[in-house]
Amino acid sequence: MKVSAVTVPSAPGLELVERKGAGHPDALADGVAEAVSRAYSTYCLEHFGAILHHNTDKTALLGGAAEVTFGAGRLTAPIQVLVNGRLTPALGGHRIPVDDLVDGTVRAFLGDALPLLDVDHDIEVRRRISTASSPGAVHGDTDQQEAGRRFWFAPRTIDDLAERRRMFANDTSAGVGYAPYSIAERLALAVERHLTSPGFLAAHPCFGTDVKLMVARNEQDISLTCCVPQIAAHTPDLDTYIAHRDLARQTVLALAHDIAPGHRITVAVNTRDDEARRELYLTATGSSIESGDEGVVGRGNRANGLISMFRPWSAEGVSGKNPVYHVGKLYNLAAQRAAEQLYVLTGQEWAIALVSQSGRDLDDPWQVLAQTSGPAEPRLVRQVVTSVMADLDALRTELLAGKLATA
């Protein structure tokens, strides 16, 4: 790997950070894609001892339709889940129950994410699964060779998995990570997690999880705009809606003062509300996916859970990619881990980019680019990145256990 490290000034006191909450359609799309990949991977490991080739990172959700009034709400058309991608359907003569696995996983995930959904009637799963290999197979004398491209999605045995011979990068791409998080980033993460936490929702069942935050900081001035849905069944009238909205604002304001003491903080909630026209963020399920909105993998939070406008970032949709060798997933997570370790070791700010080269050994990035607020130490960067890349199995284990977020 080639390592390049430079010293850059600390970030200025100007930030713009967005966070899409657990029930946001884009977050739901990421969650569905990752849940399907995880369920498929787990099935493969249990039955074959290896994860077969797959990706579900092009998954999308199309919103249904809903009717809400004070005190009640219901869906009038189902949410459509388009599971787009590739899933190996069999290993030799062992057929994998792909349709049942996908359908059950989608309904289970959305049922947990939005408990007010009737998963049997409010969700329509559409599987758009391909088994075509990416370019690379040239027909001829080598057609039957073991681990050839012809058998990428039709393996005869696990020995047809090319990565069992050599683990290599599937693409030329880049992953990025940085540490530590800034004030605005910590604020965006903490507020959303609090508002969508089981404890807060148990105490305040009137709120939904399709929370969206925009945090702007200019030195000591912090402004937050929050979209916080309310559940119609727990909101009997306009006065109650207004009281709930004020509760949300006061909750965010108190939390912000705890996280960013000494700052001047302003909070606005549901700025699109028009009380006279009764146009309010009132929902049946707590998410706009119930009514026309759409969600797409990779359109929401980055792998670290944030959308930070003045930070380095990758356009890769991490969720749903194969955890074995897809660099769009592994390199983003590995870069974040390397940046965090470098911060712990040095106390300096770090931004790390890992650049793959298609076909190169997976654990040997083509380029490693590092920015830091203090002395640039290429040798230390190399040591840390080499250590992280040598332990990619740890990332895979956390991913399959659902302990490592991808958005």
Side-chain angles (χ1 to χ4, degrees):
M1 70 180 73
K2 179 181 179 181
V3 178
S4 303
V6 298
T7 300
V8 297
S10 294
L14 191 67
E15 296 187 77
L16 186 61
V17 181
E18 184 179 0
R19 164 81 170 171
K20 294 181 178 179
H24 188 283
D26 290 328
L28 293 174
D30 281 315
V32 165
E34 187 65 11
V36 171
S37 171
R38 189 162 60 244
Y40 179 84
S41 297
T42 300
Y43 180 96
C44 289
L45 286 171
E46 290 176 350
H47 289 83
F48 314 130
I51 297 174
L52 304 189
H53 296 167
H54 73 280
N55 61 278
T56 55
D57 57 317
K58 304 302 187 295
T59 291
L61 276 61
L62 302 181
E67 291 180 354
V68 295
T69 185
F70 289 119
R74 67 183 184 93
L75 267 71
T76 58
I79 299 162
Q80 298 180 56
V81 182
L82 313 179
V83 181
N84 304 312
R86 293 178 287 186
L87 294 164
T88 302
L91 178 65
H94 183 134
R95 301 293 299 180
I96 300 171
V98 170
D99 288 353
D100 291 343
L101 188 151
V102 169
D103 192 88
T105 300
V106 168
R107 295 181 192 279
F109 175 83
L110 289 177
D112 287 341
L114 301 173
L116 294 177
L117 278 180
D118 182 336
V119 297
D120 294 324
H121 298 94
D122 295 340
I123 300 171
E124 179 181 327
V125 181
R126 297 190 177 186
R127 296 170 296 277
R128 297 178 174 179
I129 307 299
S130 167
T131 56
S133 175
S134 300
V138 178
H139 292 281
D141 295 340
T142 61
D143 274 0
Q144 298 299 315
Q145 67 184 337
E146 193 173 76
R149 295 290 289 187
R150 175 177 177 180
F151 301 106
W152 200 255
F153 285 94
R156 297 160 295 187
T157 71
I158 59 172
D159 291 329
D160 272 331
L161 302 180
E163 63 272 18
R164 291 179 68 82
R165 291 170 171 257
R166 182 174 71 89
M167 193 71 75
F168 57 88
N170 74 307
D171 194 6
T172 299
S173 186
V176 297
Y178 56 83
Y181 291 159
S182 67
I183 291 173
E185 289 167 338
R186 287 188 282 113
L187 187 55
L189 285 168
V191 169
E192 187 277 329
R193 287 170 177 169
H194 180 75
L195 292 179
T196 61
S197 67
F200 181 80
L201 294 177
H204 307 288
C206 55
F207 294 118
T209 56
D210 189 359
V211 173
K212 185 175 179 181
L213 301 173
M214 189 70 76
V215 184
R217 181 175 74 89
N218 184 356
E219 299 295 349
Q220 298 302 110
D221 292 315
I222 297 178
S223 300
L224 294 89
T225 292
C226 313
C227 298
V228 184
Q230 294 189 33
I231 305 294
H234 296 282
T235 310
D237 51 45
L238 179 59
D239 288 342
T240 303
Y241 178 91
I242 293 171
H244 289 165
R245 187 177 62 197
D246 187 58
L247 171 62
R249 180 182 175 279
Q250 294 300 327
T251 300
V252 173
L253 188 61
L255 188 56
H257 279 299
D258 286 342
I259 295 170
H263 288 72
R264 294 177 291 273
I265 300 171
T266 59
V267 175
V269 176
N270 295 1
T271 56
R272 190 175 173 177
D273 283 354
D274 187 327
E275 295 161 15
R277 295 172 60 89
R278 295 298 193 272
E279 294 180 354
L280 310 167
Y281 198 4
L282 191 64
T283 67
T285 65
S287 174
S288 60
I289 195 63
E290 72 183 34
S291 185
D293 208 348
E294 301 89 17
V296 180
V297 169
R299 284 284 302 273
N301 306 319
R302 302 297 89 201
N304 65 359
L306 296 161
I307 307 168
S308 291
M309 314 303 178
F310 296 152
R311 292 280 207 171
W313 64 286
S314 167
E316 288 280 4
V318 174
S319 302
K321 283 182 164 60
N322 188 326
V324 178
Y325 56 81
H326 274 204
V327 290
K329 168 173 274 182
L330 294 172
Y331 274 31
N332 275 288
L333 300 173
Q336 181 62 36
R337 186 147 295 182
E340 291 169 355
Q341 291 185 9
L342 284 163
Y343 169 64
V344 170
L345 289 170
T346 66
Q348 300 167 194
E349 297 174 14
W350 287 90
I352 300 293
L354 304 180
V355 189
S356 66
Q357 196 174 50
S358 187
R360 188 183 180 97
D361 286 349
L362 182 67
D363 61 0
D364 183 25
W366 172 50
Q367 301 278 341
V368 178
L369 308 178
Q371 292 182 340
T372 180
S373 61
E377 302 180 61
R379 182 177 300 179
L380 179 60
V381 173
R382 180 183 294 274
Q383 290 174 351
V384 169
V385 170
T386 298
S387 174
V388 170
M389 300 307 291
D391 199 20
L392 289 178
D393 277 343
L395 292 178
R396 296 188 185 101
T397 299
E398 292 177 48
L399 284 166
L400 292 179
K403 296 179 179 179
L404 184 58
T406 57

